[in-house]
Amino acid sequence: QEPGSELLTLKVEGDLIAPVLNLTALLNEIDLFPSLFWFMKSQNTIAEVSRLRKAFQITVSLVWPLHDREVPLVGYGIDGMDEEKPLFMIISRQLNENDVMENGEKIKIPEPPKGTVRMSVPMIGWSFHPIEPTLTKVKLVAKVDLKVPLMPVALINWTSKTFARWSLSVLETKARNFDNLPHKQRMTEPGKKEVYDWIQGRLEQFWEKQGKLSTFLDGELHEDVNRKQSEEFIGKDGKPPGPDKKVVMQLMKGGK
């Protein structure tokens, strides 16, 4: 958090042993967020704006004794695989009165659920840069105002960094065990299959140009003991630095 500003800026990155497709699926199926991130209490889909754009509302837990925070968001995907540094992106920002459906109809902004405080989220951005067929550089950049003016800046920074570190750790763990998740089934459902087939096709085109299509299709997990990791993400023991997950969850209301 910058001095004199209520806005918190987060940036964390890491090289995850997981394919791009699995990682994008984990973040695209927003109703399954609570099964991924322990601090995500609930999610409500507001509108399916288009194939790659959704409006939704999330509620998250903060450290005790603060009230839960919620925010309505609009999220969308970006195909940057033809850029000099190829990538896919998933961007979310706070839903506003100018957001409309494809037919021009305004998207109704829901009221905060009882007992929650509406936070401000100008931007949350995930980017996925393919390094090897199953090795992906993931970057998270977020700007958030949690609406906690009386909370010490040091505690805000500590809490936010801890959540960001563990979020990347969770993504890698889940993406590496993707076949056991409900997300795998979602990829075959009508209306969703077309999206994931399109992403798969774009990745096949990319890896064919790199001469690694067969490796990509094989899907064997990349193992690189020298993979580069952000110091914000990984520690010497292979886990995010800072408090253990159990300690963090004990600070959360409803944490188990």
Side-chain angles (χ1 to χ4, degrees), residues 1-10 142 144-158 160-161:
Q1 185 176 30
E2 297 181 5
S5 172
E6 299 297 332
L7 199 63
L8 181 71
T9 301
L10 289 172
V144 180
D145 179 358
L146 296 173
K147 303 298 181 182
V148 283
L150 300 181
M151 189 173 180
V153 172
L155 181 57
I156 292 177
N157 291 341
W158 176 85
S160 302
K161 287 181 179 180

Side-chain angles (χ1 to χ4, degrees), residues 13-60:
E13 66 179 69
D15 295 350
L16 308 192
I17 299 177
V20 170
L21 183 63
N22 292 8
L23 292 166
T24 55
L26 289 174
L27 293 174
N28 184 54
E29 301 300 328
I30 56 177
D31 63 307
L32 296 176
F33 279 1
S35 69
L36 296 178
F37 307 117
W38 68 91
F39 52 85
M40 192 73 64
K41 291 200 68 175
S42 65
Q43 179 283 147
N44 173 46
T45 299
I46 300 171
E48 296 279 352
V49 183
S50 67
R51 185 174 68 172
L52 293 177
R53 184 179 290 258
K54 303 176 183 178
F56 55 99
Q57 182 181 31
I58 60 171
T59 301
V60 301

Side-chain angles (χ1 to χ4, degrees), residues 63-96:
V63 293
W64 182 88
L66 298 175
H67 287 290
D68 295 337
R69 263 44 180 180
E70 69 77 43
V71 63
L73 300 166
V74 59
Y76 49 92
I78 297 176
D79 175 10
M81 292 302 292
D82 293 326
E83 298 297 319
E84 182 178 350
K85 295 182 178 180
L87 77 164
F88 276 105
M89 297 184 71
I90 296 179
I91 306 294
S92 298
R93 59 165 175 77
Q94 191 155 353
L95 188 67
N96 62 56

Side-chain angles (χ1 to χ4, degrees), residues 204-222:
E204 288 181 5
Q205 293 173 10
F206 171 75
W207 289 117
E208 184 174 23
K209 292 179 180 178
Q210 306 303 311
K212 298 182 179 180
L213 179 59
S214 60
T215 302
F216 171 71
L217 295 175
D218 178 63
E220 183 177 351
L221 289 178
H222 178 88

